[in-house]
Amino acid sequence: MWDKKFKQSDRKKFLHLIQYIVDAIDSGKLKSGEVLPTQRQLSKKLNLSIGTITKAFKELERMGYLSGEIGRGTFVSDITTEYKNFLYTESKTPYKYNLGHFRTSELFNHTIQLNLLSGIKEIAGTPDFFYKLNDFNNCGTEAQKESFINWIKPLGFESIDTTDTTLLMSEVSAINTIINALTEVGDKILVEQIGDRITKDQIAQSSREATPVKLDAHGIDTSDLEERIKLHQPKLLITQPTFQMPTTITSPKSRKEEIMKICEKYGVIILEDAKTDKFYDAAVNPYYEMNPNIGLYVTGTYFTLNPALASSVVVGNSNQIKKIENQFKLYNWTHSQILLEMCSNLINTGKADKIVDERKKILESRNICFDEVFDIPPNTSHKYSPFRWLKIPDTWSNAQFAQVAYENGILVRNSDIFLNDKLPPMPYLRISNGSIHKDEDYKTALVQLTELFKEQDFSF
């Protein structure tokens, strides 16, 4: 520590010093409550002027990373002191390692906690907060919609405004609302042949019928899609082009354009379930931008920010949005303005993007670790994927192995994958990349899982 070389010609040395200290805190090199060298000592160690050190320290104190005490020095802020009543703590459980559930409240570091919890304080301390709590606009205020629009624009949106968006509860709630708003009881709804069981259950609970469409290496098979449309005349196709489970396929723009042309031809609406899109580095080429009359887009804050912040944004043409809002208001007389205002504040202050960036770093390291432990070729899954899947032999029941793992202190989750009903269930175990806080514990759990496979004479 304190061995970084700064270019003397660099006019932004104090910014690089700030990032250097932030990275050291997030990586654990600098611990909460640890005292830093004096400004004079750092000036000598880093070959920087006292003025540069002072400027960086002041900014870090303003950001909440450091705190200075006269006569004692400068310390790394101990957020557990100020926010001790807000911190997530694992309840007592009958297992040692949780690989079964993705809880973003556990996937954190100092920066994530600081941005999330200071955001709570900020919004609660605003003078008009009580007034905002009395705003019963179920689907978000104009200002809140603007915040979400600005947040998702980098994903590839160019021309959306508040008439094209609405704010609902979680992505699950949003998709359920869309199904009921845009289709009728008894309708067939197209879904990916290998897909999320929650989606299938939502369709069944709405008295619609899920009709699977085949997948290939690039996503939905266009030939099978057109055949299914001709045969069943569906109104809606639900797809996860950047989160297909467990194939980890990310559909390229060229394939999405082919799918869009087919759906345009037959007037089928494409509902793009994009729950993890904020974890991607580039534009995702939304179907909405290809044709706003056909493409609907849904993403939210559950995965990216925190499960307690279960809000979603839906993008579609104004007529679709009106139908969706009317359906949502029919069953939801009120919507949490606290959550919407919290999410808007995190977005407007840049805290949301900071949280996402930090989560991406953690997820990238987890995926690298997963590939190493299971000897999987690199780049077979998206580097920020929150989940991974292990396919077990057909002779095994994934539920049986999950029970074996549980008895040995490791919680894994039975597959949420479904296939065409004419085929047997898919024998997958889902591994969460976010439920274990410490990287070393995550790796230990994976290694112990491989040992269980060997003990059970099981290969994957």
Side-chain angles (χ1 to χ4, degrees):
M1 189 66 199
W2 311 122
D3 55 358
K4 182 176 175 62
K5 304 298 181 183
F6 292 85
K7 292 181 180 180
Q8 294 306 308
S9 59
D10 190 349
R11 294 184 178 181
K12 297 183 178 179
K13 290 190 287 292
F14 87 99
L15 293 177
H16 294 151
L17 176 58
I18 288 172
Q19 193 60 51
Y20 178 56
I21 293 175
V22 167
D23 289 344
I25 292 172
D26 287 338
S27 66
K29 290 180 180 179
L30 286 174
K31 309 290 185 183
S32 291
E34 183 175 341
V35 65
L36 272 64
T38 66
Q39 294 187 22
R40 191 171 300 278
Q41 288 171 333
L42 283 183
S43 178
K44 291 181 179 179
K45 287 176 180 285
L46 301 175
N47 194 26
L48 296 174
S49 70
I50 291 287
T52 297
I53 304 290
T54 301
K55 188 175 182 181
F57 273 26
K58 285 183 178 180
E59 180 62 16
L60 287 164
E61 285 189 39
R62 187 193 69 78
M63 293 167 67
Y65 283 92
L66 301 181
S67 57
E69 296 183 27
I70 297 175
R72 292 192 63 213
T74 301
F75 298 80
V76 177
S77 295
D78 183 359
I79 60 171
T80 60
T81 298
E82 184 175 2
Y83 298 114
K84 62 183 178 181
N85 293 324
F86 291 96
L87 296 184
Y88 176 86
T89 56
E90 178 65 89
S91 59
K92 291 183 178 180
T93 56
Y95 51 83
K96 186 175 182 181
Y97 297 115
N98 179 4
L99 291 171
H101 300 277
F102 181 84
R103 292 179 179 172
T104 46
S105 51
E106 290 185 349
L107 187 66
F108 69 86
N109 58 24
H110 193 286
T111 294
I112 291 171
Q113 288 206 130
L114 192 64
N115 280 276
L116 182 60
L117 300 174
S118 64
I120 294 173
K121 283 189 66 176
E122 278 184 17
I123 194 65
T126 54
D128 59 347
F129 184 59
F130 183 78
Y131 170 77
K132 289 177 179 177
L133 294 185
N134 286 279
D135 187 336
F136 295 115
N137 190 326
N138 289 32
C139 300
T141 65
E142 290 292 299
Q144 290 164 348
K145 289 181 180 181
E146 286 286 356
S147 299
F148 275 83
I149 287 171
N150 291 333
W151 197 49
I152 64 173
K153 271 188 176 179
L155 295 174
F157 292 95
E158 296 179 358
S159 55
I160 53 176
D161 59 33
T162 55
T163 62
D164 304 320
T165 58
T166 187
L167 305 183
L168 307 183
M169 293 181 185
S170 68
E171 295 97 326
V172 171
S173 173
I175 291 170
N176 188 64
T177 300
I178 292 168
I179 289 172
N180 284 283
L182 302 183
T183 65
E184 303 292 335
V185 171
D187 281 354
K188 295 184 184 297
I189 296 176
L190 299 182
V191 295
E192 295 158 356
Q193 185 183 38
I194 307 175
D196 188 342
R197 185 158 210 99
I198 293 176
T199 302
K200 185 179 182 183
D201 290 343
Q202 286 178 299
I203 293 171
Q205 290 167 6
S206 300
S207 299
R208 276 72 165 172
E209 182 179 342
T211 302
V213 182
K214 291 179 182 178
L215 296 174
D216 61 22
H218 299 292
I220 289 175
D221 182 298
T222 52
S223 297
D224 191 59
L225 172 64
E226 189 157 19
E227 288 182 17
R228 300 284 179 177
I229 292 175
K230 288 178 180 178
L231 181 63
H232 300 296
Q233 299 181 336
K235 298 175 184 174
L236 186 66
L237 163 66
I238 302 178
T239 178
Q240 295 179 317
T242 52
F243 189 59
Q244 283 161 327
M245 307 190 301
T247 64
T248 69
I249 293 169
T250 298
S251 297
K253 184 177 182 181
S254 57
R255 173 57 61 88
K256 295 182 78 171
E257 288 174 338
E258 293 173 17
I259 292 168
M260 174 57 75
K261 287 180 181 178
I262 293 172
C263 289
E264 284 176 335
K265 181 179 178 181
Y266 297 97
V268 177
I269 295 171
I270 305 174
L271 172 53
E272 189 166 357
D273 182 359
K275 56 174 64 74
T276 62
D277 275 11
K278 283 297 290 187
F279 285 146
Y280 289 73
D281 286 331
V284 297
N285 307 307
Y287 285 112
Y288 172 86
E289 284 295 324
M290 297 178 190
N291 184 340
N293 294 319
I294 297 294
L296 271 172
Y297 186 90
V298 180
T299 192
T301 55
Y302 178 99
F303 281 92
T304 46
L305 299 184
N306 190 278
L309 300 176
S311 297
S312 64
V313 55
V314 181
V315 182
N317 68 46
S318 57
N319 289 331
Q320 292 170 341
I321 293 298
K322 286 178 182 177
K323 290 180 181 179
I324 293 166
E325 287 190 342
N326 288 338
Q327 179 70 32
F328 182 76
K329 292 175 182 178
L330 183 64
Y331 295 101
N332 298 274
W333 293 358
T334 60
H335 187 187
S336 175
Q337 280 297 310
I338 295 177
L339 293 187
L340 289 178
E341 196 62 22
M342 169 57 61
C343 293
S344 299
N345 181 64
L346 290 171
I347 292 168
N348 294 338
T349 58
K351 291 182 171 67
D353 283 332
K354 185 64 176 175
I355 291 170
V356 170
D357 289 342
E358 293 301 313
R359 293 203 194 288
K360 286 164 64 175
K361 292 178 187 176
I362 298 171
L363 289 174
E364 183 173 15
S365 69
R366 297 286 168 89
N367 279 292
I368 291 171
C369 178
F370 188 95
D371 290 343
E372 290 175 348
V373 171
F374 291 100
D375 195 23
I376 296 174
N379 303 319
T380 55
S381 179
H382 195 279
K383 63 182 179 179
Y384 304 131
S385 177
F387 301 119
R388 298 295 294 271
W389 289 266
L390 294 174
K391 190 175 189 293
I392 63 179
D394 294 338
T395 54
W396 271 77
S397 159
N398 54 5
Q400 288 175 328
F401 187 80
Q403 181 63 33
V404 171
Y406 180 80
E407 291 169 358
N408 284 268
I410 303 175
L411 184 68
V412 294
R413 184 165 178 173
N414 295 344
S415 173
D416 277 340
I417 309 306
F418 71 85
L419 268 174
N420 185 327
D421 288 337
K422 296 178 182 178
L423 300 174
M426 297 201 75
Y428 278 92
L429 293 174
R430 194 185 83 177
I431 305 298
S432 170
N433 278 338
S435 295
I436 294 178
H437 172 44
K438 295 180 180 178
D439 285 347
E440 56 266 31
D441 288 343
Y442 175 77
K443 184 171 185 179
T444 299
L446 294 183
V447 170
Q448 289 187 13
L449 206 57
T450 64
E451 294 299 319
L452 285 178
F453 293 153
K454 294 174 184 176
E455 290 176 14
Q456 303 293 329
D457 191 23
F458 164 65
S459 60
F460 51 89

